[in-house]
């Protein structure tokens, strides 16, 4: 194979891989987009401590069962420490912080503040995963972040004097970004669903203790809709959604895949309007459109090299067929 053939095949491989990562990431975002509205529903009758810890206990039970039934190998060495970091971010930090924040903040406001998460994940991917997106990517990501902050300022009366719920949401964003970046790297070694399953298993003793404490302090007494929202948070938001999300981050590039999450606040606000009957304003509509635009541009930013043309595709296919064809044996004269 000559150098030109090799370069073209490598470009195609990167392009197809990037699209697969984006597709899995978008599926995970769709699952996560119901998290904020359903948390807002659940806190109507269940304590935030019970929601944040109880959902992790149920997800951990599912995770341990899946690990045992499939006989997964145990992590080794430093992987346990890295799994503890993932658990601290996505199993402990984000669920508990958002549950307490949404006892006072509207679901739409929480969704907008959490829109900072893609940019935070991109930064963590650059620091931890040593990814180097181009300058154009950071410009677009910064634009999306600015829109998200302005969005929150319009809905929350400004961020010059943030409320306690805002501070909790910002802390949740930081915790999730660390958990996403580390989990995306670990998923390349352990597998996507295995990573979140081991993280849940590690955190299960602590979360079980917090759940028992929450039940003792305030026995759960929710309506059927509040319990249904809690079940979704436990099974999908805390467990199944991460199957797709970590797979997308593992395929990568993480900084690029993380930007599809810019569409999450728009979806969450849509669900809040439809399910919770929260008010939809023109500022929300215009801000949501701007966020989606930034997300669309960000995921299309390529790191290096031009896109392959149709002639490249045809040439690569012909070359690959030729490479698989065995060479003809020359007849030897007696």
């Amino acid at each position: 194979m000559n150098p030109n053939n090799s370069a073209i095949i490598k470009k195609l491989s990167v392009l197809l891989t990037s699209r697969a990562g984006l597709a899995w990431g978008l599926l995970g975002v769709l699952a996560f987009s119901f998290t904020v509205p359903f948390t807002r529903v659940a806190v109507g009758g269940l304590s935030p401590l019970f929601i944040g810890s109880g959902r992790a206990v149920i997800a951990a039970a599912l995770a341990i069962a899946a690990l045992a039934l499939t006989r997964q190998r145990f992590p080794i060495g430093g992987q346990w420490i890295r799994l503890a970091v993932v658990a601290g971010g996505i199993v402990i930090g984000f669920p508990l912080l958002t549950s307490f924040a949404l006892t006072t903040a509207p679901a739409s406001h929480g969704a907008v503040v959490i829109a900072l998460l893609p940019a935070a994940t991109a930064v963590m991917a650059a620091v931890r995963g040593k990814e180097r997106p181009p300058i154009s990517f950071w410009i677009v990501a910064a634009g999306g972040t600015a829109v998200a902050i302005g969005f929150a300022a319009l809905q929350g009366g400004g961020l010059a004097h943030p409320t306690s719920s805002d501070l909790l949401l910002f802390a949740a964003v930081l915790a999730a970004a660390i958990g996403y970046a580390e989990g995306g790297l670990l998923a390349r070694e352990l597998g996507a669903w295995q990573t979140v399953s081991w993280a849940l298993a590690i955190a299960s003793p602590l979360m079980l203790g917090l759940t028992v404490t929450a039940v003792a302090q305030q026995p759960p007494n929710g309506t059927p809709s509040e319990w249904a929202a809690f079940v979704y948070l436990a099974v999908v938001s805390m467990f199944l959604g991460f199957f797709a999300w970590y797979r997308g981050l593992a395929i990568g590039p993480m900084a690029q895949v993380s930007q599809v999450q810019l569409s999450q606040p728009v979806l969450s606000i849509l669900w809040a309007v439809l399910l919770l009957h929260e008010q939809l304003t023109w500022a929300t509509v215009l801000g949501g459109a701007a966020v989606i635009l930034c997300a669309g541009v960000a995921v299309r930013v390529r790191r290096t090299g031009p896109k392959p043309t149709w002639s490249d595709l045809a040439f690569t296919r012909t070359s690959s067929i030729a490479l698989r064809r065995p060479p003809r044996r020359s007849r030897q004269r007696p």
Side-chain angles (χ1 to χ4, degrees), residues 43-286:
V43 296
L46 305 173
S47 72
L49 181 60
F50 175 79
I51 295 170
S53 58
R55 65 193 252 190
V57 171
I58 294 176
L62 297 174
I64 293 171
L67 291 170
L69 290 174
T70 56
R71 298 181 178 180
Q72 295 295 314
R73 65 179 181 86
F74 282 82
I76 57 174
Q79 289 177 339
W80 288 108
I81 299 176
R82 296 166 64 192
L83 282 169
V85 172
V86 175
I90 66 166
V91 181
I92 302 172
F94 187 82
L96 288 173
L97 291 169
T98 53
S99 295
F100 279 100
L102 290 172
T103 56
T104 55
S108 55
H109 180 76
V112 170
V113 176
I114 293 174
L116 298 171
L117 184 53
T121 303
V123 172
M124 292 300 170
V127 173
R128 184 66 184 87
K130 299 180 180 178
E131 294 185 358
R132 296 295 180 266
I135 296 299
S136 56
F137 169 85
W138 291 113
I139 293 174
V140 175
T145 302
V147 171
I149 293 175
F151 213 2
L154 288 174
Q155 290 192 339
L159 293 180
H161 302 286
T163 64
S164 58
S165 61
D166 287 327
L167 297 178
L168 290 173
L169 288 169
F170 289 144
V173 166
L174 179 59
I178 295 173
Y180 285 170
E182 194 62 50
L185 293 173
L186 267 177
R188 297 172 182 173
E189 303 172 19
L190 300 175
W193 73 266
Q194 292 91 336
T195 297
V196 66
S197 295
W198 284 116
L200 286 164
I202 288 176
S204 58
L206 173 61
M207 304 311 280
L208 180 59
L210 291 176
T211 302
V212 172
T213 302
V215 172
Q217 291 178 349
Q218 181 181 337
N221 185 23
T223 63
S225 60
E226 290 164 354
W227 280 111
F230 174 77
V231 170
Y232 183 94
L233 294 173
V235 177
V236 180
S237 296
M238 185 59 73
F239 189 52
L240 297 180
F242 281 101
F243 287 24
W245 181 241
Y246 273 153
R247 182 171 177 82
L249 290 178
I251 294 173
M254 279 195 292
Q256 188 178 22
V257 172
S258 69
Q259 297 309 293
V260 301
Q261 206 169 24
L262 278 171
S263 61
Q264 182 172 327
V266 180
L267 292 173
S268 295
I269 290 171
L270 176 62
W271 309 143
V273 171
L274 295 177
L275 300 175
L276 307 180
H277 307 291
E278 293 190 1
Q279 186 178 3
L280 183 64
T281 64
W282 278 109
T284 300
V285 174
L286 294 176

Side-chain angles (χ1 to χ4, degrees), residues 27-56:
L27 181 60
V29 166
L30 180 60
F32 293 152
S33 66
F34 287 94
T35 300
V36 170
F38 282 166
T39 300
R40 182 63 176 166
V41 171
V43 296
L46 305 173
S47 72
L49 181 60
F50 175 79
I51 295 170
S53 58
R55 65 193 252 190

